[in-house]
Amino acid sequence: MKTAVVTFPGSNCDRDMWVALRDVSGRDPVKVWHGDADLPEGLDFIALPGGFSYGDYLRSGAMAANSPIMRSVIAAAERGVPVLGVCNGFQVLTEARLLPGALMRNAGQTFICRTVPLVVENADSVFTSAYAAGETIRIPVAHHDGNYFADDATLDRLEGEGRVAFRYGEDVNGSQRRIAGVLNAAGNVLGMMPHPERAIEDAQGGSDGRRLFESVLGVLASG
Amino acid sequence: MKVRIHVSLKPGVLDPQGRAVHHALEGLGFAGVADVRIGRLIELEVADDTTDAALAEMCEKLLANTVIENYAIEKVA
């Protein structure tokens, strides 16, 4: 299982993501820099971490979406390699048009940093197969721009195609239909505002995020 | 050539910042403000032979997020 974490200038959750991937896969993830032209060969999984890439200049994720490495990430996603974007990584994926919609300023204008309830809406995806559909899990959020927006036709399509992976169990940031995480049409790209990499062992206050990595890395816990 | 790109939120997209500023204006005693929408002004200095198509492409690819924003291109001089 060969995984990679992409670091942009201003990423700050890249190490947490790296540790989560290492713990679950048992193998050191490759560290990739935004200015690299190419990804390593034979990757099984790519993670875009949280943070404030390029200082959130212009719009959150807008600059990173156009950085050199993203051409390779987009190509890998189109080949079917699973790509996870968390928080700023989600913003990057929408700006790169790998996912529909946009992440706007939180409705309440404040930075929100707390653990929230998430409902697993789709437990059939490569990222969520270790969860039960309808299950409520608890995962931390930490964001200022997490207010998911898409037009009604897009939202209806996402719902109809089972592409809403996670929904907030309560109104957190004003997101349309409380959407917390969405999948691309092929199901191999997931963007989500909550941080599963911050919930992989009980010492972090909860381990509900671990099963996401176990799902996508194919090493389901024995119990 | 100087070009101003005006980026604004599409109608129907909620603008929490605008709402907060609207509220603040009312708090300062300014009556009769019906709505506040906050956008962005980007000034470019470009070669005189830059085409309209190239300017539009800059907006589409980077300067505006057309999922939520409209843009208007103004050539100043």
Side-chain angles (χ1 to χ4, degrees):
Chain A
M1 184 56 58
K2 190 171 177 181
T3 65
V5 179
V6 179
T7 299
F8 302 97
S11 296
N12 64 9
C13 301
D14 42 337
R15 190 174 183 282
D16 285 13
M17 184 66 79
W18 190 90
V19 170
L21 295 178
R22 183 195 60 189
D23 276 15
V24 175
S25 75
R27 194 170 156 187
D28 284 359
V30 182
K31 294 176 181 173
V32 179
W33 180 236
H34 76 110
D36 294 349
D38 298 307
L39 291 163
E41 292 290 318
L43 283 179
D44 300 299
F45 177 77
I46 301 163
L48 307 186
F52 299 87
S53 57
Y54 299 84
D56 278 350
Y57 287 179
L58 193 62
R59 298 176 303 276
S60 303
M63 309 296 285
N66 292 286
S67 64
I69 195 63
M70 281 308 292
R71 282 191 290 275
S72 297
V73 171
I74 291 167
E78 286 170 352
R79 285 197 309 273
V81 176
V83 177
L84 170 69
V86 168
C87 200
N88 188 223
F90 185 11
Q91 294 158 349
V92 173
L93 290 173
T94 59
E95 284 284 348
R97 308 290 168 92
L98 281 172
L99 292 173
L103 282 312
M104 304 186 59
R105 180 54 46 101
N106 293 340
Q109 290 290 322
T110 57
F111 190 95
I112 300 168
C113 184
R114 63 185 171 92
T115 297
V116 301
L118 276 190
V119 178
V120 180
E121 292 288 331
N122 177 343
D124 295 326
S125 82
V126 66
F127 300 95
T128 55
S129 57
Y131 297 105
E135 180 182 358
T136 297
I137 60 176
R138 296 184 60 77
I139 303 283
V141 297
H143 60 246
H144 210 164
D145 296 328
N147 182 352
Y148 186 75
F149 178 88
D151 59 48
D152 283 335
T154 302
L155 293 169
D156 287 344
R157 195 178 74 241
L158 290 175
E159 304 254 23
E161 294 174 353
R163 290 167 59 189
V164 176
F166 298 105
R167 206 186 300 273
Y168 298 110
E170 60 194 35
D171 183 20
V172 169
N173 53 25
S175 288
Q176 299 281 309
R177 305 187 192 185
R178 294 186 184 172
I179 289 173
V182 297
L183 294 155
N184 68 342
N188 69 307
V189 178
L190 170 66
M192 60 191 294
M193 290 310 297
H195 288 269
E197 81 283 5
R198 294 190 188 180
I200 59 157
E201 55 182 295
D202 289 337
Q204 293 172 304
S207 60
D208 282 351
R210 188 177 188 91
R211 277 181 287 162
L212 186 146
F213 298 103
E214 289 171 343
S215 299
V216 71
L217 300 178
V219 283
L220 290 167
S222 53
Chain B
M1 174 170 61
K2 190 169 181 173
V3 175
R4 290 193 184 123
I5 311 291
H6 301 264
V7 180
S8 55
L9 282 174
K10 285 183 174 177
V13 176
L14 283 177
D15 180 7
Q17 286 189 74
R19 203 165 49 189
V21 170
H22 186 189
H23 195 69
L25 285 174
E26 288 176 336
L28 289 168
F30 292 104
V33 180
D35 195 17
V36 177
R37 308 276 290 170
I38 294 179
R40 185 192 305 271
L41 171 65
I42 302 170
E43 293 185 331
L44 305 178
E45 191 67 47
V46 299
D48 288 345
D49 60 356
T50 304
T51 63
D52 290 356
L55 290 170
E57 196 178 353
M58 291 179 203
C59 292
E60 296 278 340
K61 283 194 169 169
L62 181 63
L63 301 179
N65 179 344
T66 54
V67 173
I68 49 172
E69 294 168 334
N70 288 326
Y71 62 86
I73 298 168
E74 177 196 4
K75 293 180 185 171
V76 180

